[in-house]
């Protein structure tokens, strides 16, 4: 029987990226006063997606298995939101910060 093998980044992108985006979006809007449109531009997504993140309709579905890594994800999201504000990160740099988180999670073997 053949088992499907997925690269670690694929699994992390599928389950962690929505949580990460949600946490960053919430910080940008609630802590830093961004509009949903401004947050969407910074994250490279749509205003509708930001609205869903803010109302927990997107991002945390199935996040139960992330409980061990949630503090690490939350810390990274908070640091990224701060960098977006202070360094004017581009959407490309935002995704690069997610790649850094992905590598960190793989190295620490917490997933």
């Amino acid at each position: 029987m053949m088992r499907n093998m997925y690269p670690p980044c694929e699994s992390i992108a599928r389950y962690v990226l929505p949580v990460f985006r949600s946490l960053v979006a919430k910080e940008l809007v609630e802590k830093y006063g961004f509009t949903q449109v401004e947050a969407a531009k910074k994250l490279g997504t749509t205003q509708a997606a930001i609205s869903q993140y803010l109302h927990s309709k997107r991002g945390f579905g199935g996040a139960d298995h992330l409980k061990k890594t949630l503090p690490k994800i939350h810390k990274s999201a908070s640091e990224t939101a701060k960098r977006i504000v202070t360094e004017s990160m581009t959407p490309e740099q935002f995704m690069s910060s997610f790649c850094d988180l992905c590598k960190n999670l793989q190295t620490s073997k917490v997933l």
Side-chain angles (χ1 to χ4, degrees):
M1 182 165 156
M2 189 171 182
R3 202 169 83 163
N4 284 335
M5 297 296 295
Y6 296 103
C9 286
E10 185 175 342
S11 295
I12 291 172
R14 180 177 293 153
Y15 298 106
V16 178
L17 181 58
V19 173
F20 182 69
R21 275 191 182 137
S22 177
L23 291 169
V24 172
K26 285 179 182 183
E27 286 237 357
L28 290 176
V29 173
E30 295 171 2
K31 184 174 181 179
Y32 295 106
F34 276 49
T35 66
Q36 290 182 18
V37 172
E38 291 168 333
K41 285 181 183 175
K42 288 295 185 180
L43 301 186
T45 190
T46 65
Q47 176 276 323
I50 299 298
S51 177
Q52 290 179 340
Y53 290 137
L54 295 175
H55 294 97
S56 300
K57 293 181 181 179
R58 181 189 276 199
F60 281 94
D64 292 340
H65 64 285
L66 296 176
K67 286 192 195 293
K68 286 185 204 173
T69 59
L70 206 50
K72 207 172 247 201
I73 296 166
H74 199 286
K75 181 179 182 210
S76 179
S78 185
E79 291 169 355
T80 299
K82 186 175 182 178
R83 285 183 57 212
I84 287 171
V85 173
T86 60
E87 300 172 21
S88 297
M89 285 178 90
T90 64
E92 292 79 16
Q93 290 169 319
F94 167 74
M95 285 310 300
S96 180
S97 71
F98 177 73
C99 289
D100 293 340
L101 172 63
C102 177
K103 290 173 193 169
N104 184 298
L105 292 174
Q106 288 179 58
T107 303
S108 63
K109 300 183 185 212
V110 291
L111 286 179

